[in-house]
Amino acid sequence: MDTLELLAHPVRLRIVHAMRGGRVLTTAQLCDRLPDTSKATVYRHVELLTAGGVLEVAEEQRVRGALERHYRLRQDRASIDAETAVAMTPDDHRRVFATAMATLIAEYNAYLDRDTADPARDLVGYRQHAIWLSDSEIQELIAGMRAAILPTLGNEETPDRTRYLLSPIMFPLEDRTADEPSR
């Protein structure tokens, strides 16, 4: 199974989210982080991600006679590269976007299901803005977003940090050629 196929599934994408940040987790720990997903489902998808090279076994140890594996995310295999994105068909993009949205909804519902969920305190945001941008302005916006986000991707877990899921989504709302005046 290729990376696109591996990541185009909501449970597998949630596992990838849970593993980001250099975490090394067992399947049981992943089950704790995805309480709305059956253990059998998590185990099955961990196996698929491992077989596909997205996860790797960081260590193994015997616990009460059973072999316990600790997994680590392979960052180089945990995203769809630019070359693959260019080769994707519109249906591939539709499927990947639907997976991303299903994953986002599942993660948000899991957050709201926690007793400690407080969207106002946690500064939860889900605003949408329609903005007009030229080609150079969109490139500048993307560069600015990258400049703001990239330095935080390396943040490690500390007692004063909370993990947030950031999902920037941007696409044109209108066909630019439809608005061009005819000559």
Side-chain angles (χ1 to χ4, degrees), residues 162-182:
T162 301
R163 283 173 39 99
Y164 281 81
L165 181 60
L166 178 64
S167 298
I169 300 166
M170 185 167 39
F171 56 90
L173 289 174
E174 299 168 358
D175 183 355
R176 76 169 60 196
T177 59
D179 293 336
E180 291 178 1
S182 56

Side-chain angles (χ1 to χ4, degrees), residues 1 14 17 41 46 66 80 97 114 117 122 130 143 153 164 178 182-183:
M1 199 179 298
R14 289 183 72 198
H17 289 323
T41 298
V46 165
I80 297 168
F97 185 80
R114 293 193 304 251
D122 295 334
L153 292 179
Y164 281 81
S182 56
R183 297 180 191 228

Side-chain angles (χ1 to χ4, degrees), residues 1-174:
M1 199 179 298
D2 66 10
T3 303
L4 176 62
E5 195 65 31
L6 280 168
L7 297 179
H9 189 283
V11 173
R12 291 193 290 268
L13 195 51
R14 289 183 72 198
I15 291 168
V16 168
H17 289 323
M19 297 298 297
R20 289 209 187 271
R23 285 185 160 168
V24 175
L25 301 171
T26 66
T27 308
Q29 290 170 319
L30 282 166
C31 288
D32 291 343
R33 285 167 172 75
L34 282 77
D36 55 328
T37 306
S38 76
K39 289 182 180 185
T41 298
V42 173
Y43 274 85
R44 183 173 62 250
H45 289 292
V46 165
E47 282 301 314
L48 286 170
L49 288 167
T50 304
V54 175
L55 296 180
E56 65 184 1
V57 177
E59 66 179 271
E60 295 179 325
Q61 62 187 41
R62 289 258 173 226
V63 177
R64 291 184 289 278
L67 187 62
E68 182 180 69
R69 290 188 175 105
H70 293 75
Y71 297 92
R72 157 184 328 120
L73 184 66
R74 288 192 49 203
Q75 296 292 342
D76 62 320
R77 300 273 303 160
S79 63
I80 297 168
D81 62 28
E83 183 179 315
T84 301
V86 167
M88 289 168 54
T89 67
D91 283 341
D92 290 335
H93 282 282
R94 189 174 285 114
R95 186 170 47 96
V96 170
F97 185 80
T99 298
M101 293 302 97
T103 302
L104 189 60
I105 290 167
E107 294 282 15
Y108 191 65
N109 284 334
Y111 159 74
L112 290 175
D113 288 343
R114 293 193 304 251
D115 292 337
T116 59
D118 184 342
R121 181 201 65 219
D122 295 334
L123 301 175
V124 170
Y126 39 81
R127 289 179 177 82
Q128 295 178 344
H129 307 280
I131 55 178
W132 294 94
L133 299 169
S134 68
D135 288 345
S136 63
E137 290 167 333
I138 196 166
Q139 292 296 330
E140 188 177 314
L141 177 64
I142 291 169
M145 290 170 56
R146 283 185 180 142
I149 295 168
L150 284 176
T152 65
L153 292 179
N155 287 357
E156 294 184 7
E157 183 176 356
T158 63
D160 64 326
R161 285 188 173 141
T162 301
R163 283 173 39 99
Y164 281 81
L165 181 60
L166 178 64
S167 298
I169 300 166
M170 185 167 39
F171 56 90
L173 289 174
E174 299 168 358

